Amino acid sequence: ELESTVSITVVGASGDLAKKKIFPALFALFYEDCIPQHFTIFGYARTRLTDEEMRNMISKTLACRIDKRANCSDKMEQFLQRCFYHSGEYGLEENFSELDRKLKEQEVGRLANRLFYLSIPPNIFVDVVRCASRSASSPTGWTRVIVEKPFGRDSQSSAELTQSLKQYLTEDQIFRIDHYLGKELVENLSVLRFSNLVFEPLWSRQFIRNVQLIFSEDFGTEGRGGYFDNYGIIRDIMQNHLLQILALFAMETPVSLAAEDIRNEKVKVLRSMRVLQLDDVVVGQYKGHTKGGRSYPAYVDDPTVPKGSLTPTFAAAALFIDNARWDGVPFLMKAGKALHTGRAEIRVQFRHVPGNLYKRNFGSDLDKATNELVIRVQPDEAIYLKINNKVPGLNMRLDRSNLNLLYAARYPIEIPDAYERLLMDAIEGERRLFIRSDELDAAWAIFTPVLKELEEKRIAPELYPYGSRGPVGAYYLAAKHNVRWGDLS
Ligand code: BG6
């Protein structure tokens, strides 16, 4: 029986994502012995580089998990020796045939599996897939392609992209990545829910008042304005990252942990969601601001952003799942760039205790006395539960306290980057954390009408100062649904 080998070709090797995330993740997997022993990595891009130049380029970004670990530099050297480069056009089959020849030289005598990572702009996805599948797919083993978003701009363009890819690849070969699904606390969501008796029975409209999915960054689109302006925050963060978290959070119990079982449940919950309405959306855009003698640019100051752009860099939305479990529970999303803090978290606000004996101890604001479960995805990973507690002493004074699982304290190890898990899964053929095409359709169906309406009506975003908490409209939207943002109270 032939031994197998895996060749990983990073298409768009000189781009930002490849340098910042993909090569370092591949190295980490190698360092941890989590990729097959025999592997080859190829960088593919238009820039002319020698193997040595490519090794130089990526070696700067590689790091050992814990810096001073033994034999890190040896490992790095071994890793770099497995890295090669091929320069070519993205739409030229003959360039991919040349790559194929080079791959074969590395694969001699082995069962060759091939993984292509498309780290390129969406307008060349299909060209690359056509060339790679025709001229560089594996003659002996599997061929898989990892695709990064954007998967289209709306339902129609996404369906078109899916159709075009299907001319060359089967659904099984396509790994649509959403890197939020590779984050440790997102992966943990289902463990938390399904293996703790104290949570799952409460996971419904009966006990949960609202759920909040919050994403913020404390920097703007610096340098990425050209890409971003064509998409905006709803497509960049909400329709994928936050919605994926929502689906995992709200889905019914899957039959098993098998990829298809989980994805079936995710599709079901997404299809039960109400189409988002314009009056349940608030959009914002950051404006320039001076603070402490430093001035921060407006979104439209970015030279790659067209003057007068109405693209939202902030959005808040109220979503609903029309099924038996979640009927009437608002799922509020908030996502923004250039805000006062950088964070991603899920907040679950529970209902009031019926007939609460301690009502009078809470003053007039009973809402503040309900339990809240916070799952902080980043930066400092944590799960905490706000509970009411008696302040020790002779008086009956109540206090809000946290049962707090802070990862840094409980698990003193470095948490792997999301890309490490996802790359490892793709190599192993584990599809659980990748987006199936019907999930994608369901996700677009929720957001497409409102995205169209925002653009057609040229709705102006509410301006908010760089580094602030975002537009006040987000408070009103929450208040309309009887919700108070947990991150602001
Ligand atoms: C990407 C978005 O998908 O996610 C970026 O395109 C965003 O705009 C990034 O900055 C955030 O990812 P992370 O892992 O840094 O939170």
Side-chain angles (χ1 to χ4, degrees):
E1 197 182 306
L2 283 184
E3 273 194 84
S4 66
T5 174
V6 60
S7 310
I8 302 159
T9 303
V10 180
V11 185
S14 43
D16 227 34
L17 180 75
K19 282 194 269 191
K20 280 202 191 124
K21 294 289 185 182
I22 305 172
F23 292 120
L26 288 169
F27 173 60
L29 291 177
F30 170 71
Y31 189 90
E32 306 276 337
D33 286 327
C34 290
I35 41 175
Q37 274 218 313
H38 194 277
F39 70 95
T40 308
I41 293 175
F42 262 88
Y44 187 106
R46 278 185 312 197
T47 323
R48 295 200 162 275
L49 293 179
T50 62
D51 292 342
E52 218 32 63
E53 283 167 330
M54 136 115 172
R55 287 171 190 155
N56 261 331
M57 170 181 90
I58 67 177
S59 68
K60 297 195 187 78
T61 68
L62 305 183
C64 292
R65 274 264 175 69
I66 294 168
D67 271 345
K68 286 175 211 64
R69 266 216 205 160
N71 69 13
C72 182
S73 55
D74 291 353
K75 281 279 204 181
M76 220 177 262
E77 207 32 57
Q78 291 164 24
F79 176 78
L80 290 172
Q81 287 317 309
R82 303 301 312 149
C83 295
F84 303 89
Y85 186 78
H86 184 68
S87 90
E89 291 296 323
Y90 293 120
L92 270 185
E93 277 185 45
E94 59 190 76
N95 291 160
F96 281 82
S97 305
E98 293 152 16
L99 171 71
D100 183 62
R101 276 198 292 281
K102 290 190 184 172
L103 287 170
K104 283 190 177 128
E105 283 168 24
Q106 302 299 326
E107 296 165 344
V108 174
R110 291 174 189 271
L111 177 85
N113 296 316
R114 291 186 183 175
L115 179 64
F116 290 86
Y117 197 124
L118 306 196
S119 175
I120 46 174
N123 58 332
I124 50 179
F125 281 171
V126 180
D127 274 346
V128 170
V129 167
R130 173 175 48 81
C131 296
S133 68
R134 286 197 182 148
S135 307
S137 65
S138 168
T140 54
W142 51 252
T143 301
R144 297 180 186 140
V145 179
I146 300 184
V147 206
E148 277 274 351
K149 72 156 210 294
F151 312 120
R153 294 187 81 251
D154 51 24
S155 292
Q156 196 192 338
S157 51
S158 165
E160 281 164 15
L161 177 64
T162 302
Q163 272 321 103
S164 317
L165 294 180
K166 280 193 175 156
Q167 286 180 266
Y168 308 105
L169 299 170
T170 61
E171 176 67 19
D172 259 14
Q173 293 181 289
I174 306 174
F175 286 66
R176 294 180 196 83
I177 214 168
D178 183 313
H179 78 286
Y180 266 63
L181 292 181
K183 296 201 185 238
E184 190 59 45
L185 270 83
V186 177
E187 173 82 336
N188 189 48
L189 250 181
S190 116
V191 178
L192 187 74
R193 230 188 115 178
F194 297 122
S195 75
N196 290 295
L197 184 71
V198 296
F199 293 121
E200 175 53 24
L202 302 185
W203 226 250
S204 72
R205 66 188 303 278
Q206 207 184 337
F207 300 105
I208 291 179
R209 203 151 46 106
N210 66 72
V211 181
Q212 308 178 8
L213 301 131
I214 302 174
F215 167 97
S216 63
E217 274 177 343
D218 55 4
F219 50 89
T221 56
E222 286 94 331
R224 286 177 77 230
Y227 150 80
F228 189 86
D229 199 71
N230 196 17
Y231 293 92
I233 200 81
I234 297 178
R235 294 183 179 93
D236 192 46
I237 303 289
M238 279 190 174
Q239 182 268 353
N240 33 64
H241 304 331
L242 295 187
L243 190 63
Q244 283 296 320
I245 296 178
L246 187 154
L248 283 176
F249 180 95
M251 70 183 182
E252 295 300 312
T253 314
V255 175
S256 79
L257 291 174
E260 297 323 313
D261 288 336
I262 294 178
R263 298 194 293 182
N264 287 344
E265 293 310 326
K266 284 169 68 196
V267 179
K268 259 167 62 187
V269 77
L270 291 172
R271 291 185 49 211
S272 303
M273 289 181 68
R274 217 180 281 170
V275 174
L276 182 59
Q277 301 297 313
L278 189 60
D279 54 8
D280 274 333
V281 179
V282 168
V283 286
Q285 189 188 79
Y286 62 90
K287 60 179 181 185
H289 181 54
T290 312
K291 203 160 90 186
R294 235 193 104 177
S295 64
Y296 297 86
Y299 173 67
V300 289
D301 290 341
D302 185 327
T304 55
V305 168
K307 287 274 156 282
S309 165
L310 298 178
T311 299
T313 59
F314 174 100
L319 294 141
F320 292 88
I321 304 173
D322 288 330
N323 67 12
R325 185 185 288 270
W326 297 113
D327 192 5
V329 178
F331 283 78
L332 259 63
M333 284 184 182
K334 185 161 76 163
K337 297 202 173 258
L339 294 172
H340 75 298
T341 181
R343 215 188 267 172
E345 59 191 18
I346 309 164
R347 288 180 171 262
V348 188
Q349 296 187 342
F350 290 91
R351 291 196 185 280
H352 295 241
V353 174
N356 195 335
L357 284 175
Y358 294 94
K359 208 172 187 158
R360 64 182 191 84
N361 298 72
F362 296 113
S364 57
D365 205 352
L366 259 187
D367 273 5
K368 280 200 169 154
T370 64
N371 296 119
E372 184 171 6
L373 174 68
V374 181
I375 299 164
R376 191 178 314 126
V377 176
Q378 61 193 36
D380 34 358
E381 294 85 350
I383 300 173
Y384 58 94
L385 180 63
K386 295 194 181 174
I387 59 162
N388 297 306
N389 206 50
K390 179 179 167 303
V391 179
L394 297 177
N395 295 335
M396 178 50 74
R397 246 196 337 117
L398 299 193
D399 177 35
R400 291 268 278 167
S401 235
N402 287 346
L403 295 179
N404 196 354
L405 171 59
L406 194 58
Y407 271 46
R410 178 72 180 92
Y411 308 107
I413 51 162
E414 193 153 329
I415 295 177
D417 188 76
Y419 282 91
E420 293 173 35
R421 180 189 313 281
L422 294 168
L423 274 159
M424 185 176 80
D425 281 359
I427 293 169
E428 288 174 358
E430 168 60 76
R431 296 178 173 78
R432 190 169 41 95
L433 300 179
F434 294 89
I435 317 293
R436 211 166 61 186
S437 71
D438 53 349
E439 271 185 85
L440 186 61
D441 293 346
W444 276 122
I446 300 165
F447 287 95
T448 294
V450 91
L451 285 164
K452 285 235 158 74
E453 211 174 330
L454 282 166
E455 279 161 17
E456 276 163 17
K457 295 190 173 152
R458 298 189 50 76
I459 306 259
E462 195 177 325
L463 298 178
Y464 60 97
Y466 194 120
S468 69
R469 289 171 180 269
V472 282
Y475 297 69
Y476 293 123
L477 175 65
K480 180 177 125 187
H481 294 286
N482 266 321
V483 177
R484 184 167 4 196
W485 291 106
D487 63 330
L488 302 179
S489 55

